[in-house]
Amino acid sequence: MSTSNTILKDLNRDSHALEEIQTLYLQSSERIDTIFFYEEYSTPIGGGLTRMIVPRHLATIAGDSKGRVVVLHADHCKMVKYTRNEDENYHKVVDYLQELVKAGPGRVREKWIRETSHRSIAKGEPLAIPQTILPKPLISVSTNYVQRLHIEQFLTKKLLPVTPTTHQPRCVLHGLGGGGKTQIASSWIEAHRNRIIVIDASSREQIEADLETAMRSIGPQYSKSTWKDAVAYLSSQKGWLMLFDNADSPDLELDDYLPNSIHGAVLVTSRNRECMSYAPESHIQVGELTEGEAVDLLHKVANITPSSFESSLAIVRELGMWALAITQAGAYIFKTRQIDTYLSTFRKHRDELMREASLKGRNYKGSTYTAFDLSFGQLSTKAQELMRICAFLHNSSIPQSLFERSTTSGFLAYSFDEYFPPPNSDDAPISHLENILGSKWDNHSFQELIDSISQGSLMNISIDDDGQVFYSLHPLVQAYIRDYLTPTDHNRYALSAGQLLLGAIRRLSNGEANVWHRKLSFHIASLPTRIRLADPAHALAFRRVYESVGNWNGMQELDEYCYSQLLEIFGPRHLATISSMGNLASTLRSRGQLEEAEKLEREVLELRIEILGQKHPDTVQTMGNLAVTLWRRGQLEEAEKLEREVLELRIEILGQKHPDTVWTMGNLASTLSGRGQLEEAEKLHREVLELQIEILGQKHPDTVSTMGNIALTLRKCGQLEAAERLEREVLAFRIMFLGARHPDTMLTMGNLACTLFDRGQLEAAEEMEREVLALRTKILGAHHPHTILAKNNLVVTTKRLASRRTSTKRRTKILAIITG
């Protein structure tokens, strides 16, 4: 038999045969669940050339409104060949196949019933009715389920209203996969309702099949009923509750399946936050567990009762209080019987542990990362790219204005030093950001990206009291995204996250810088160290932010890097190197490393006198800095001598009203106060304050610092009421402009606590000192001099308070004896 190419004619593009097949397909497509996968990247075809083999328009069928289109991040060859189980495309395809398989039995059964009915009619026989049709059962509640009281109480309030209602009671539980939505729904239903219709809402076909099954399960007389009959029937009934579980698809519309009756209730669980529209006033996000709930869940699954909760708390905090992740952790601990070593194992093998399915007998057979796959895989390429960049920022309080400011500036890093312009290596991350966000700010396009991400509950949106918009991601979602990246991609997205931040850092006034830089500082700290230290120009920009918020620890890392780079490039006597050494000395002083700071400042002063001369402004500034360090070290006599010399030079060079001259007067006043010359100190402080209000304004940080210094002098003079009043005013300013966690704010709180102690208000002093100690320990470290001082102050106050209480009890007892 010879071969023939006749059939190939029918396979040519635009052939009549293909057109007929496509027409037939479109006529039947409403009953077919089709998924069109297509390649994103061109395929190598030899000779260094690449070509799109089957682009999107050829991989899909125009006119199929129901078909789902899914991009695979691969070329034509790799989109169906996977070398490892962790391949992102492999998991995406498997998830969709599992979805189709899950819906398969219901469709086969319905088709079988229809075909049996047709055969019976053709033979003139009675319709064949299945012997028993049972409704879909409620998902059983896990034996490890930990009750989420606040959510279940919300369900009770919304689904069982105590007063008559004119609307159908509805409630939507929405949130990221693995949060426990279905378990909460099942737990509440078991406790409150009897007549339940359970619907698997993963697809329209499954919804319709479950509705038909529920209707036909009533009795033989309903054996021919359709899903529409079920909806109509429930519209005339009372006391029912419909659970639409896993209504996750963004293309799914539930309106056709909702009975029109106020005498039944509807409960929906979904990853798609757009489902909130079915119950605008009765939806609740299922997010993190409370610490107590999380620890209870861990112990239940692991079947342990530890003597200490310390390890358990560390585990659940690391897992972001996420129910499914904690279940997986508990299952692993159940197998290994080792809770104390879980965190170290988790940090080394996070990707494997978060992909490992739960133990047999668990109600949720998937894993945390599998749950995230479904939502992440539905995002567009740009949305996924944006998420990968956000994975390298802090997980919370990502300001919308970060994206707008950075895009508006062209994502360019600002040069804070003439010797270090932005490097050429910035071009690649800038291009990457432009591909995602555009070269010009387009609020509408950006909002579409954010909406698509938040729709799948991968991102939460919040608005602060000032109307500013912020985004947040669950830390496990960030870890999931980073775990998928190759080392090369990991570096690429981290660089783009750093460039996004650099584009939003500019020279600002003190007030604006304090507010804006507080919003950026946590995100800078979340970058990998290699990104912060990728280039001196970048390090100097990040340093500017840390300086505004008082992050001395972060500044030391950046200052040491910049100094080492300048020393290597320019040598020790270059002005840029000397300036960098001075910055490092000031940072060391702020961190309480006074001996090292003094040593560096004396070296800087010697070099500047030699190179610039005694009267150069930079030399005079160094003299002033050294005087401050000497004052901090308690060397007050030498500090005063140096400050008087600095003041004389500044008056001569800059004039009496220059801000630097006024700053020096303030330092001298503080030194005089420390040496006990209180009358002269107060007089000089008030002169400084008057000049600062005139030159800088009432709310400038230097003006506020002088107010604090005056309050300190007033306390030493015994004018405690006036001191307290002024310190409270200073504290209000600092909280407003610097934030509660800034070192200067903590300093003011400590001073106020001392004044309260001196006034005999020991309870108030103790409360404030505890807050100061907690903040300083966390931000400055346990060994910082200010932290040690706060600890000592608290000990003294606690002892004095205990002594007072003992004396009060003794006096009360004596008085009772006398009057008895």
Side-chain angles (χ1 to χ4, degrees):
M1 182 176 178
S2 60
T3 59
S4 169
N5 63 356
T6 303
I7 193 172
L8 295 180
K9 296 177 182 178
D10 292 333
L11 296 179
N12 286 332
R13 184 178 295 185
D14 301 326
S15 75
H16 179 69
L18 286 179
E19 184 177 354
E20 285 187 342
I21 292 171
Q22 181 167 317
T23 301
L24 290 172
Y25 167 81
L26 289 175
Q27 290 172 355
S28 306
S29 62
E30 272 299 309
R31 300 191 301 276
I32 303 174
D33 193 356
T34 306
I35 301 172
F36 300 102
F37 293 101
Y38 73 96
E39 67 221 52
E40 182 179 20
Y41 305 128
S42 299
T43 303
I45 58 175
L49 301 176
T50 62
R51 184 162 63 90
M52 292 294 289
I53 306 298
V54 184
R56 174 174 174 149
H57 71 278
L58 294 179
T60 58
I61 296 179
D64 184 0
S65 59
K66 190 183 170 192
R68 288 178 284 175
V69 180
V70 179
V71 61
L72 295 178
H73 308 299
D75 60 30
H76 189 71
C77 295
K78 293 179 181 178
M79 69 183 289
V80 292
K81 295 178 182 178
Y82 311 109
T83 58
R84 55 193 181 95
N85 290 343
E86 295 77 20
D87 190 288
E88 178 183 359
N89 295 314
Y90 168 77
H91 282 285
K92 186 181 291 187
V93 172
V94 167
D95 289 338
Y96 280 105
L97 288 175
Q98 288 176 338
E99 179 186 322
L100 293 176
V101 170
K102 185 178 180 182
R107 294 193 204 165
V108 171
R109 185 174 179 280
E110 293 303 313
K111 185 178 180 182
W112 177 78
I113 292 172
R114 285 196 298 270
E115 289 179 355
T116 302
S117 299
H118 290 317
R119 282 195 295 268
S120 298
I121 293 171
K123 294 177 182 179
E125 298 173 351
L127 289 180
I129 299 173
Q131 293 182 347
T132 304
I133 299 179
L134 298 176
K136 183 180 288 293
L138 183 67
I139 298 290
S140 62
V141 180
S142 169
T143 54
N144 300 314
Y145 176 72
V146 173
Q147 195 169 24
R148 313 276 287 271
L149 277 176
H150 70 290
I151 300 179
E152 293 198 25
Q153 288 170 356
F154 181 85
L155 291 175
T156 301
K157 178 181 177 182
K158 297 300 181 181
L159 296 178
L160 298 175
V162 294
T163 57
T165 178
T166 57
H167 298 91
Q168 184 183 78
R170 293 181 185 176
C171 193
V172 175
L173 301 178
H174 63 92
L176 192 59
K181 301 180 292 294
T182 298
Q183 284 287 289
I184 293 170
S186 295
S187 173
W188 184 87
I189 290 171
E190 281 190 357
H192 294 89
R193 300 302 290 257
N194 293 319
R195 194 176 180 189
I196 311 301
I197 301 94
V198 179
I199 307 295
D200 178 349
S202 57
S203 67
R204 292 181 64 92
E205 292 78 15
Q206 192 60 51
I207 292 174
E208 292 169 8
D210 286 350
L211 280 169
E212 287 185 4
T213 299
M215 186 66 180
R216 295 176 185 184
S217 68
I218 299 174
Q221 66 273 35
Y222 297 102
S223 61
K224 298 180 182 178
S225 298
T226 66
W227 67 267
K228 293 182 179 179
D229 296 326
V231 174
Y233 176 81
L234 289 172
S235 296
S236 65
Q237 300 297 303
K238 296 181 179 180
W240 48 265
L241 181 138
M242 291 183 74
L243 170 62
F244 288 89
D245 194 27
N246 296 322
D248 302 328
S249 173
D251 302 321
L252 184 66
E253 295 286 347
L254 293 180
D255 291 313
D256 291 342
Y257 307 115
L258 300 176
N260 183 22
S261 170
I262 64 171
H263 301 299
V266 173
L267 174 58
V268 179
T269 70
S270 178
R271 303 175 194 215
N272 181 7
R273 69 189 302 271
E274 296 298 310
C275 281
M276 294 187 302
S277 61
Y278 296 116
E281 298 178 359
S282 305
H283 56 81
I284 185 169
Q285 183 174 7
V286 178
E288 295 89 345
L289 300 160
T290 65
E291 280 194 352
E293 292 168 347
V295 169
D296 284 350
L297 177 60
L298 181 70
H299 292 171
K300 275 189 173 185
V301 179
N303 193 26
I304 57 172
T305 309
S307 56
S308 170
F309 282 9
E310 187 175 341
S311 295
S312 303
L313 280 171
I315 290 170
V316 299
R317 286 168 181 165
E318 182 93 4
L319 297 174
M321 309 297 168
W322 202 248
L324 182 52
I326 292 167
T327 300
Q328 287 182 265
Y332 184 86
I333 294 167
F334 177 80
K335 286 193 297 184
T336 62
R337 311 313 298 166
Q338 294 178 330
I339 188 171
D340 293 333
T341 60
Y342 176 79
L343 269 185
S344 61
T345 304
F346 173 79
R347 288 165 182 162
K348 292 177 184 176
H349 305 282
R350 181 177 59 203
D351 184 36
E352 299 164 48
L353 292 177
M354 289 294 95
R355 283 217 168 274
E356 188 174 288
S358 299
L359 290 174
K360 293 180 180 179
R362 312 296 175 189
N363 293 79
Y364 200 116
K365 296 297 188 292
S367 68
T368 302
Y369 277 10
T370 301
F372 294 167
D373 281 340
L374 296 174
S375 296
F376 193 76
Q378 291 178 344
L379 298 179
S380 67
T381 301
K382 278 190 177 181
Q384 289 184 352
E385 289 288 278
L386 182 60
M387 286 288 286
R388 291 184 181 113
I389 290 173
C390 290
F392 290 91
L393 303 176
H394 191 272
N395 72 289
S396 64
S397 300
I398 303 171
Q400 183 191 60
S401 48
L402 164 63
F403 302 96
E404 182 176 357
R405 289 192 186 209
S406 193
T407 305
T408 302
S409 71
F411 308 108
L412 292 169
Y414 186 83
S415 178
F416 286 93
D417 190 306
E418 60 180 323
Y419 295 105
F420 288 109
N424 293 333
S425 57
D426 286 358
D427 291 348
I430 288 174
S431 177
H432 185 204
L433 290 166
E434 287 179 342
N435 287 337
I436 301 168
L437 299 171
S439 56
K440 293 183 179 180
W441 178 248
D442 184 337
N443 189 66
H444 176 72
S445 297
F446 179 75
Q447 197 56 53
E448 285 186 335
L449 271 182
I450 294 298
D451 287 346
S452 69
I453 296 170
S454 63
Q455 185 180 44
S457 299
L458 287 165
M459 177 182 282
N460 293 321
I461 304 172
S462 59
I463 302 176
D464 68 6
D465 294 338
D466 298 323
Q468 300 296 308
V469 179
F470 293 87
Y471 310 119
S472 62
L473 292 77
H474 194 278
L476 275 183
V477 171
Q478 290 183 304
Y480 155 80
I481 293 171
R482 293 195 300 268
D483 285 346
Y484 259 130
L485 300 175
T486 64
T488 300
D489 283 341
H490 196 282
N491 192 62
R492 180 189 179 215
Y493 289 105
L495 281 170
S496 294
Q499 197 69 43
L500 178 70
L501 290 162
L502 288 165
I505 301 171
R506 292 293 182 270
R507 289 190 186 275
L508 301 169
S509 65
N510 280 324
E512 188 181 1
N514 290 333
V515 174
W516 176 237
H517 289 168
R518 280 207 305 273
K519 295 176 182 177
L520 298 184
S521 60
F522 293 111
H523 302 295
I524 294 171
S526 295
L527 293 172
T529 302
R530 69 178 187 280
I531 302 301
R532 289 196 298 272
L533 306 182
D535 185 87
H538 298 173
L540 289 168
F542 293 143
R543 184 189 190 278
R544 181 59 62 100
V545 174
Y546 280 170
E547 187 176 24
S548 292
V549 301
N551 182 352
W552 314 129
N553 295 351
M555 282 176 65
Q556 181 172 349
E557 173 192 67
L558 298 171
D559 283 337
E560 288 175 343
Y561 166 74
C562 288
Y563 177 55
S564 68
Q565 292 292 301
L566 286 160
L567 194 62
E568 182 180 339
I569 297 169
F570 297 123
R573 295 175 59 81
H574 193 280
L575 292 178
T577 308
I578 297 169
S579 177
S580 181
M581 192 193 306
N583 287 341
L584 177 57
S586 295
T587 300
L588 291 172
R589 183 199 325 125
S590 297
R591 291 204 64 201
Q593 300 175 29
L594 302 178
E595 187 176 347
E596 297 94 320
E598 181 186 345
K599 181 181 177 182
L600 275 182
E601 280 168 344
R602 289 191 185 280
E603 191 175 343
V604 171
L605 181 59
E606 184 179 336
L607 285 166
R608 280 183 164 161
I609 290 173
E610 180 184 345
I611 298 170
L612 300 175
Q614 183 78 33
K615 293 187 177 183
H616 191 279
D618 290 349
T619 306
V620 178
Q621 177 67 46
T622 305
M623 293 169 65
N625 291 342
L626 176 58
V628 172
T629 302
L630 293 170
W631 178 81
R632 290 269 186 93
R633 297 198 70 188
Q635 301 173 28
L636 301 183
E637 186 176 349
E638 186 179 357
E640 180 185 347
K641 179 182 176 182
L642 197 55
E643 280 162 352
R644 289 190 183 279
E645 188 178 349
V646 171
L647 181 58
E648 185 178 333
L649 285 167
R650 281 191 158 155
I651 291 173
E652 177 187 343
I653 299 167
L654 303 174
Q656 181 77 38
K657 291 189 175 184
H658 190 280
D660 289 348
T661 306
V662 178
W663 178 79
T664 305
M665 291 170 64
N667 287 345
L668 176 58
S670 294
T671 302
L672 293 173
S673 178
R675 299 196 69 189
Q677 301 172 33
L678 301 180
E679 186 175 342
E680 185 180 356
E682 182 183 353
K683 180 181 177 183
L684 191 55
H685 271 316
R686 292 195 181 279
E687 185 180 345
V688 169
L689 181 61
E690 187 176 331
L691 285 168
Q692 285 175 332
I693 291 173
E694 177 187 344
I695 300 167
L696 304 174
Q698 180 80 36
K699 296 180 180 181
H700 191 279
D702 290 352
T703 308
V704 176
S705 292
T706 300
M707 292 168 62
N709 291 334
I710 292 174
L712 191 61
T713 304
L714 290 173
R715 170 153 53 89
K716 290 180 178 179
C717 292
Q719 301 177 43
L720 300 181
E721 186 176 348
E724 180 186 347
R725 185 168 56 250
L726 196 54
E727 278 165 349
R728 290 193 182 279
E729 189 176 347
V730 171
L731 182 59
F733 274 128
R734 284 191 159 154
I735 290 174
M736 181 185 301
F737 294 107
L738 301 179
R741 296 164 59 90
H742 194 283
D744 289 351
T745 307
M746 291 185 278
L747 180 66
T748 305
M749 291 171 67
N751 289 341
L752 176 56
C754 290
T755 302
L756 294 171
F757 177 90
D758 289 347
R759 295 199 70 188
Q761 300 175 27
L762 300 183
E763 288 87 353
E766 182 189 33
E767 182 181 353
M768 187 161 285
E769 282 168 352
R770 288 191 186 280
E771 188 176 353
V772 170
L773 178 59
L775 285 168
R776 282 181 171 169
T777 301
K778 186 174 183 180
I779 296 169
L780 302 178
H783 302 295
H784 192 283
H786 289 179
T787 308
I788 295 170
L789 178 63
K791 188 175 183 179
N792 292 338
N793 288 345
L794 178 59
V795 169
V796 171
T797 303
T798 302
K799 287 182 178 178
R800 180 72 64 85
L801 191 56
S803 176
R804 176 193 282 183
R805 287 168 177 163
T806 302
S807 299
T808 302
K809 288 180 181 178
R810 189 179 295 117
R811 286 196 300 271
T812 302
K813 189 179 291 185
I814 293 171
L815 184 61
I817 294 171
I818 294 173
T819 57

